[in-house]
Amino acid sequence: MIKKNRTKIYALGQHISMSAHKARRVIDQIRGRSYEETLMILELMPYRASYSIFKLVYSAAANASDNMGSDETNLIICKAEVNEGTTVKKLKPRARGRSYPIKRPTCHITIGVKDISLYDEGYYFIDPYIHKDYRASLKKTSYSLQKPSYLLKIKKTRCKKRYTDMIDENMYSSGGLWDKK
């Protein structure tokens, strides 16, 4: 029996000129998702960080297909982390010979992908850090048109529309700017 190598493939982007907090906002949305779903999410996100993360995800998938011969449909994002990098510090000249500091934060982004076809068919890989079954997310291709269960529990309150006849006839004569002629 031939044992296949179960290694993780990753792509690393260093010294990316953005805050680590802003990059984490995008990274949290793609962690644990399939490769194709991740690309769709990143294309539609309005954040500036999504473009550099998109390039890293694409690079990690290219590394997996080149190094291990993996198919892109079997890839999942198993590791996605953002670390703070160095801060570029500059001085902006101001009036009277003074200067104000300018800090440009950078970050290091690591995207790791895993090929789930390398695992045995009877073995379902559940990541202990994410607690998510990766194979179940890949099998679910069509979305049902039913309402989610959390929406079914909410009861809508019915409010009767009540009209009042209270109209302030002296709306513009309350004083102030409108009284002046």
Side-chain angles (χ1 to χ4, degrees), residues 116 124-126 132-141:
I116 59 171
Y124 291 98
F125 180 73
I126 299 175
K132 185 173 181 181
D133 186 4
Y134 292 125
R135 290 182 183 253
S137 66
L138 291 177
K139 289 179 184 176
K140 182 177 59 172
T141 58

Side-chain angles (χ1 to χ4, degrees), residues 63-145:
N63 290 344
S65 64
D66 187 47
N67 295 344
M68 296 178 56
S70 301
D71 188 21
E72 292 177 349
T73 58
N74 296 327
L75 294 178
I76 52 169
I77 309 296
C78 65
K79 178 184 178 184
E81 66 179 22
V82 180
N83 297 323
E84 291 183 3
T86 57
T87 303
V88 178
K89 297 175 182 174
K90 299 178 183 178
L91 292 175
K92 181 166 180 115
R94 302 298 288 182
R96 297 186 177 184
R98 296 180 182 149
S99 61
Y100 285 170
I102 295 175
K103 296 180 181 178
R104 294 289 307 259
T106 61
C107 64
H108 307 310
I109 302 175
T110 305
I111 303 289
V113 294
K114 185 180 287 186
D115 189 1
I116 59 171
S117 66
L118 297 179
Y119 291 88
D120 298 331
E121 291 299 323
Y123 178 73
Y124 291 98
F125 180 73
I126 299 175
D127 199 340
Y129 298 108
I130 302 174
H131 303 293
K132 185 173 181 181
D133 186 4
Y134 292 125
R135 290 182 183 253
S137 66
L138 291 177
K139 289 179 184 176
K140 182 177 59 172
T141 58
S142 64
Y143 296 100
S144 63
L145 297 175

Side-chain angles (χ1 to χ4, degrees), residues 166-180:
M166 298 174 58
I167 298 174
D168 189 12
E169 295 177 6
N170 298 327
M171 187 183 339
Y172 296 112
S173 64
S174 62
L177 187 66
W178 295 102
D179 272 357
K180 296 179 182 175

Side-chain angles (χ1 to χ4, degrees), residues 30 32-39 73 75-77 137-138:
I30 66 167
R33 297 189 187 265
S34 67
Y35 169 71
E36 294 172 345
E37 188 179 2
T38 301
L39 292 183
T73 58
L75 294 178
I76 52 169
I77 309 296
S137 66
L138 291 177

